[in-house]
Amino acid sequence: MGTTAYERVLRVTVATLQERDPEQLWPHLAAELPRLCGGDALIYKLDNWDASEGTLGLSPGAAAEFARLGDEETVLLRAGYPLAEHYAGRADRTPVTARRVAGPSWSGSPTARLLDDLLDVDHVLGMPLPRSTTPITGAIVYRSGRDFSDDELRLAEQFQPLLAAVEQQRQLLRRLDAPSEEVADLALTPRETTVLLLLGDALTAASIGRRLGISERTVHKHIANVYRKLGTHDRISTVLRAQRLGLVPTAVAGRP
C-alpha cells in the first residue's frame, strides 16, 4: 500500500472509529471504502444475514438505484450469488471476486444482469468480516470494466481488520447505549410487539405468520425490525432483553 493510500486509509479509520453513534459507523465507512478499493459502489451486510434478514447498507452513490428494486430483485441480490455459497463451504474469509468463483458463467447469471441494469457494474469483490460465521457478512464492492486484480485483492485483505474493528466498535457502542434506553424510545409498533411476544412463545416465523394472517416473509421483516430496535441478533437474546425491559412477561420469556 503506497503512502498516499495508507494516509487515506488511516484518515478514514480514525474518523470512523471516533464516531459515537453506532448506526453511523458503517455508513461513514461505506462512503469512503469503494474508492479506496478501486470500486464504484458498495453494500455492507451485517447481523444474522440471509436472504430475508440482516442489516443492509449502501454507499451513497448506490442508495437511489437500490431504492427502486422490487421484491424479487431484492431477494436475488440478498442471496449473494456466488459469494455466499463460496464462503459457506469454508472457513477461509480471503477476499475473492464473483468471476473468480463462478468463472465465465458469472456474466450470464441473473445477479450479474441485475447489477448491470441497476448500477452499470459487472464485477463484484467480496470482503467478508474475518472469522465471521454468516457467509456474506461484511462488504461487497462493485465496479465496471475489468475484474479486480491480484494486487487489489491483497489490498482488500488488508482492509479486513478495519472492517472487523468497525463492527466491533458498533457492537460495543450498542451495548453501552443499551442501559440508558427507555422502552418508549424503542418505538416498537403494535405488530412488532405482538411478534415479539410470539417469539417468546418459541413459535417459528411460519407459525407466527399463520397466527397473525400474514406472510412468513413479512414476519421476518418484523423480526428484523425488532432485532434492530432492541440491538440484538438472535431470538434468545431478544427475548431476554425484552424481559429485562418489561416488554414481555417473565413467564412468557422463560418458556423453552
Side-chain angles (χ1 to χ4, degrees):
M1 187 186 304
T3 302
T4 302
Y6 176 81
E7 290 173 348
R8 291 204 308 267
V9 172
L10 182 61
R11 186 166 58 249
V12 170
T13 301
V14 172
T16 300
L17 296 182
Q18 284 180 338
E19 174 63 55
R20 303 309 299 169
D21 181 352
E23 304 313 320
Q24 292 303 313
L25 285 168
W26 277 93
H28 184 88
L29 184 63
E32 300 292 339
L33 192 57
R35 181 171 58 90
L36 295 175
C37 294
D40 301 323
L42 176 145
I43 287 179
Y44 56 88
K45 302 179 175 184
L46 308 174
D47 306 320
N48 294 327
W49 183 267
D50 60 28
S52 60
E53 295 184 40
T55 300
L56 180 148
L58 308 163
S59 56
E65 299 299 332
F66 278 91
R68 61 184 175 87
L69 283 178
D71 289 345
E72 292 185 6
E73 294 170 321
T74 300
V75 169
L76 179 63
L77 186 65
R78 292 177 71 97
Y81 172 84
L83 300 177
E85 183 176 353
H86 170 78
Y87 287 120
R90 67 195 70 209
D92 183 15
R93 291 293 180 263
T94 304
V96 69
T97 70
R99 183 173 295 277
R100 296 190 185 211
V101 171
S105 63
W106 161 248
S107 298
S109 68
T111 302
R113 292 197 298 269
L114 172 62
L115 290 170
D116 185 31
D117 292 341
L118 194 64
L119 295 173
D120 193 26
V121 298
D122 44 16
H123 294 288
V124 179
L125 166 64
M127 297 171 58
L129 290 174
R131 298 181 298 280
S132 58
T133 55
T134 45
I136 48 178
T137 298
I140 299 178
V141 182
Y142 303 97
R143 85 169 178 203
S144 58
R146 59 178 178 81
D147 198 7
F148 294 85
S149 67
D150 289 341
D151 286 342
E152 287 167 328
L153 287 174
R154 285 190 287 270
L155 180 61
E157 191 169 0
Q158 290 180 308
F159 285 138
Q160 284 181 294
L162 171 58
L163 302 186
V166 168
E167 178 58 12
Q168 185 178 32
Q169 180 80 343
R170 184 179 77 105
Q171 299 293 345
L172 176 61
L173 289 174
R174 277 184 162 187
R175 289 196 296 271
L176 291 175
D177 288 345
S180 62
E181 292 176 353
E182 296 294 334
V183 171
D185 292 336
L186 297 175
L188 290 175
T189 67
R191 180 50 59 90
E192 289 166 357
T193 301
T194 301
V195 169
L196 176 58
L197 287 167
L198 295 176
L199 283 176
D201 278 333
L203 295 183
T204 64
S207 298
I208 292 174
R210 286 193 296 270
R211 180 170 298 191
L212 299 180
I214 57 178
S215 70
E216 183 175 349
R217 183 175 179 182
T218 299
V219 173
H220 281 299
K221 289 181 179 179
H222 288 312
I223 292 173
N225 286 336
V226 170
Y227 284 4
R228 174 176 55 80
K229 291 179 179 181
L230 269 66
T232 54
H233 308 290
D234 57 60
R235 180 187 294 255
I236 294 175
S237 63
T238 298
V239 174
L240 290 175
R241 174 154 168 70
Q243 178 185 357
R244 289 193 296 270
L245 292 171
L247 293 170
V248 297
T250 302
V252 174
R255 290 177 189 175

